Structure formats: C-alpha cells, structure tokens
Amino acid sequence: MRFDFYAYLVEAEERKREFGLTDETVVTEVLRNKGGARTPRKRVALERMEQRARAAGRKPVRAHF
C-alpha cells in the first residue's frame, strides 16, 4: 500500500471544512499552545530556532516561550 501525500492533504482540507476550521491568523492563534508548561530546555530550543530563522532571513514560526 502506497501513501499518497497529496490525497492526504485534500482529505485533511475536507475535514477542516467539516469542523469549521480555517487558516485565518486569529483562529490559529486561539489554537496555538501558549507554552505555560514548557520546560526550560524546550524554551531554549524554541528561542534558538527563532534566532536561526532570523539569521537566515526567514520568518520564524510563532511560538510562546
């Protein structure tokens, strides 16, 4: 059995529509993990990821840390 990634993406978009989920920034922020229970190690890792993205001229993924 082969996994068809593109078919999976289509099915995922259909499920999102069924549940009323959108890719709007406001909706995404509500669903985002606020990071209250993050370990210090994870906070450092997220901060390093942000610094590396900025150094490479890329927009960092939003994360609470």
Side-chain angles (χ1 to χ4, degrees):
M1 176 191 237
R2 271 184 86 177
F3 177 74
D4 185 344
F5 182 70
Y6 296 104
Y8 170 78
L9 290 178
V10 169
E11 291 171 10
E13 288 299 320
E14 290 172 2
R15 287 192 305 272
K16 282 172 52 177
R17 279 193 296 278
E18 286 176 20
F19 291 118
L21 299 175
T22 66
D23 287 330
E24 296 176 21
T25 303
V26 175
V27 174
T28 303
E29 283 304 311
V30 169
L31 297 173
R32 192 177 300 281
N33 181 339
K34 300 300 183 217
R38 293 218 198 286
T39 64
R41 184 176 173 183
K42 178 70 176 241
R43 290 176 195 272
V44 170
L46 289 171
E47 190 169 359
R48 274 196 326 257
M49 287 170 42
E50 182 174 295
Q51 291 171 356
R52 289 173 56 193
R54 289 186 191 282
R58 305 201 62 187
K59 181 180 176 185
V61 174
R62 292 198 52 181
H64 300 280
F65 51 90

